[in-house]
Amino acid sequence: MNQARHDNRVRFGVPDDSMVFARGVRKSYGHLEVLKGVDLDVPVGSVACIIGPSGSGKSTFLRCINHLEKLSGGILLVDGEFIGYDLRGDRLYEVKDDLLCSRRAEIGMLFQSFNLFSNMTVLENLIEAPTQVRRVPVQQAKAEAEVLLARVGLLDKIDRYPRELSGGQQQRVAIARAMAMKPKVLLFDEPTSALDPELVGEVLHVMRDLAESGMTMVVVTHEVAFAREIGDQLIFMDEGVIVERGVPREMIADPQSPRTREFLSRVL
């Protein structure tokens, strides 16, 4: 552990096993406050599933983790480190773009849309970031890409272009591409919402495999059954705050908050 991570953990009381640590996270757009003080701990190797109605702040919080959105207040650490800031004394200062990119490279993010490079083959999509950002030798990157594609069941599509793949296959390639950077944590923003119902299962299968292998994951999802099966903690957000959190099976079976109960009654 580098000195900055150690100092941050001591200063902010971050548990030794914490991968994502949020305290009082706020985000505003002008007068609109989207996040109103979010606290969350995601231990290493665990899966946190976030559910809630549209507009509750779920995706915004996810984007704050890797500094795609700048915080308006609070602190957010990944593996004991600020992503978009450095702490000097009592003040946070934004880091330069090259350092931000270096830190962000340790966080994989999957979106509703697959965001694959349409002019590149599956293999080229997987090796682009490792070779350009991490300076991995091309042959090594190709070998590692083949292993990842086999893992998601798409080794036979290695020379295809995204347009030749189904939506479920494209999302599996996107997961493999994120894994190619060997991230410390994976963030999923409604990864199955753009898929036809019959394709959802193949993506959830890959995510289940990642969870069982010990990958730290934060998943914004509407797949409550998946959250119940795979999640270590379930977080219900509404109107920019965490209303309730708990063990998924227990919370789904017996929600304590009326707002959680109402939401689950509509989605189950």
Side-chain angles (χ1 to χ4, degrees):
M1 180 187 302
N2 67 29
Q3 190 62 44
R5 286 194 177 103
H6 173 76
D7 292 347
N8 288 337
R9 286 184 182 275
V10 172
R11 178 167 188 165
F12 298 110
V14 182
D16 290 340
D17 67 344
S18 176
M19 178 57 71
V20 179
F21 179 86
R23 285 295 179 272
V25 169
R26 296 181 177 274
K27 177 62 184 179
S28 298
Y29 300 96
H31 296 296
L32 176 63
E33 191 173 28
V34 178
L35 298 176
K36 303 173 183 177
V38 174
D39 296 344
L40 183 65
D41 293 301
V42 182
V44 174
S46 71
V47 179
C49 294
I50 305 176
I51 60 173
S54 177
S56 60
K58 309 182 303 294
S59 295
T60 300
F61 176 70
L62 206 67
R63 292 170 65 86
C64 286
I65 295 176
N66 67 354
H67 203 66
L68 286 175
E69 297 285 356
K70 298 179 182 179
L71 303 188
S72 302
I75 63 166
L76 217 168
L77 301 168
V78 176
D79 193 22
E81 187 169 53
F82 291 100
I83 300 305
Y85 305 98
D86 275 335
L87 182 65
R88 303 173 200 160
D90 292 325
R91 295 191 62 185
L92 290 172
Y93 296 85
E94 286 198 59
V95 300
K96 294 182 178 179
D97 287 347
D98 56 346
L99 183 54
L100 171 60
C101 289
S102 174
R103 292 179 181 175
R104 191 181 277 156
E106 298 186 332
I107 306 170
M109 187 159 185
L110 284 298
F111 300 89
Q112 298 176 24
S113 55
F114 320 119
N115 292 340
L116 297 175
F117 300 119
S118 61
N119 62 329
M120 294 183 179
T121 64
V122 167
L123 176 62
E124 290 167 342
N125 265 278
L126 262 68
I127 69 172
E128 177 71 9
T131 56
Q132 298 301 315
V133 178
R134 292 203 183 277
R135 303 301 178 189
V136 175
V138 172
Q139 291 306 314
Q140 178 184 336
K142 287 182 176 180
E144 292 175 351
E146 290 179 0
V147 171
L148 288 169
L149 288 171
R151 183 174 179 179
V152 301
L154 291 173
L155 185 56
D156 61 329
K157 308 295 185 185
I158 193 167
D159 294 320
R160 299 289 183 88
Y161 287 88
R163 62 180 177 274
E164 300 176 281
L165 305 178
S166 70
Q169 290 170 337
Q170 289 187 58
Q171 191 64 292
R172 286 150 63 195
V173 171
I175 293 172
R177 183 176 65 175
M179 289 296 294
M181 289 294 284
K182 301 178 181 177
K184 293 180 177 179
V185 57
L186 281 178
L187 312 177
F188 293 85
D189 188 6
E190 297 278 13
T192 61
S193 65
L195 300 178
D196 293 333
E198 65 268 23
L199 301 178
V200 169
E202 63 189 57
V203 174
L204 295 181
H205 176 77
V206 172
M207 294 174 64
R208 186 178 297 109
D209 174 68
L210 290 173
E212 291 172 352
S213 71
M215 187 73 215
T216 308
M217 300 160 60
V218 183
V219 184
V220 169
T221 183
H222 61 276
E223 301 287 347
V224 177
F226 172 82
R228 177 170 49 204
E229 179 185 353
I230 299 301
D232 294 293
Q233 62 174 315
L234 182 63
I235 297 101
F236 172 64
M237 290 185 66
D238 192 20
E239 297 183 354
V241 299
I242 293 178
V243 175
E244 187 173 348
R245 75 185 83 207
V247 177
R249 289 182 182 274
E250 296 174 1
M251 186 170 149
I252 292 169
D254 186 24
Q256 300 303 298
S257 166
R259 290 160 75 186
T260 310
R261 194 175 304 121
E262 178 188 4
F263 175 79
L264 288 174
S265 71
R266 288 189 276 112
V267 299
L268 289 176

